[in-house]
Amino acid sequence: MTLPLRPDLAGLEPYGAPQLDVPYLLNVNENPYAPPPEVVDAVTEAVRAATGGLNRYPDRDFLPLRADLAAYLGSESAAVGLDADHLWAANGSNEVMLHVLQAFGGPGRVAMSFAPTYSMYPEYARDTFTQWHVAPRASDFSVDPDAAVAEIQRVRPAVVLVASPNNPTGTALPLETTRRLAEATRTSGPDGGASVLVIDEAYAEFRRAGTPSAVTLLAEHPHLAVARTMSKAFAYAGARVGYLAAAPTLVDALRVVRLPYHLSAVTQAVARAAVAHADLLQRQVTQIRQDRDACVAWLRERGFDTVDSDANFVLFGRLDDRHAVWKGLLDRGVLIRETGPQQYLRVSIGTPDEMTAFRDALTEVTGL
């Protein structure tokens, strides 16, 4: 018996990085530091309280959580005027992005980005029957604003997705580039209106000093959305909470396409407990930044082509046989990611012990 699978899905494999049982997991950009005991206690109590009402559906619009996230962004990014109506949340930023494509993409419409970038973007487009278009980044993995604006005006996309810091390169957009993209997308949509410009800031808390968030531009551009996640800086990957800030009219469009009660009562409780302890959960961010910069310097000293990173990972190359290097590290118990441009590998920043294991293994494999 054959099933009526969509023809465009035939032969495809599900997305996912390798999940292997090795001592050093440095492949999916997780925060290597577990939530501290104070946060564990707060989350446990929040879950206990939520469990008493699990016979009822959760708060469908989760306004208290949205208000908490608005306050966090306002303090973290000096954003003015954000409230619950400007925030949206879902089960990871992946679901947030899917909501964006469900609301603004679809048959006959185009979503675009600048490659190399996050490998899930074309899957959001595929799953919403949206045409996918990519334009190249510059040789240093930056986005050339003149070239980007010209391509946006030519393609007339419904949605433009730009990761900043970018995955897998770690490069962040200068605020002036974001502003240029926001101005260009005011009138670049398929019907002469706006394109929705999504700046994906999943790694924003790790950006280097002096790199502002696109959140500061939201008041000027009602078609701009800034996506975030609690998976990285909040050390909350297992909780699956992502969120987005935008004008209320854009947020309201996402409410139309979300599944009923998509954010469980337990997820809402866990997320609010985390936001209330943001300082504790993020106390290792400075350490991760320092270890990232030390990793970049160490790799460069050994002759690797290494990209300046504003994230919690480092892209390095150029490797004649990157798979052989990846496999050599794996044989030594170190799992990193074979992704992005050919000849490059990506390593997540781990604990000091994990980074020592990575350096020792890479030295053995490459002889450098």
Side-chain angles (χ1 to χ4, degrees), residues 94-166:
N94 289 307
E95 188 178 39
V96 170
M97 297 287 194
L98 188 63
H99 287 166
V100 171
L101 268 293
Q102 286 175 315
F104 300 105
R109 293 191 166 190
V110 178
M112 69 173 289
S113 190
F114 304 92
T117 193
Y118 186 34
S119 56
M120 274 297 296
Y121 290 163
E123 298 205 13
Y124 306 145
R126 179 200 70 197
D127 292 347
T128 57
F129 301 95
T130 306
Q131 182 181 339
W132 178 244
H133 177 80
V134 289
R137 288 175 174 255
S139 59
D140 63 355
F141 303 126
S142 65
V143 174
D144 180 301
D146 292 332
V149 167
E151 190 71 356
I152 287 169
Q153 291 173 341
R154 185 185 74 82
V155 174
R156 306 200 69 82
V159 180
V160 179
L161 299 168
V162 189
S164 177
N166 186 43

Side-chain angles (χ1 to χ4, degrees), residues 38-39 42-43 46 64-65 67-69 71-72 230 234 236 268-282:
E38 302 96 314
V39 177
V43 169
L65 172 58
D68 290 350
L69 291 169
Y72 166 71
M230 299 182 75
F234 276 86
Y236 237 44
Q268 293 180 41
V270 166
R272 294 197 70 196
V275 178
H277 293 84
D279 290 344
L280 275 176
L281 280 166
Q282 296 182 24

Side-chain angles (χ1 to χ4, degrees), residues 35 40 62 161 169 174 184 187 200 214 221 268 338-339 358:
V40 173
F62 50 93
L161 299 168
T169 64
T187 57
D200 181 358
H221 301 287
Q268 293 180 41
E338 188 176 8
T339 189
F358 164 71

Side-chain angles (χ1 to χ4, degrees), residues 294-305:
C295 181
V296 168
W298 183 87
L299 287 164
R300 285 178 176 165
E301 288 170 1
R302 280 143 189 84
F304 293 101
D305 181 15

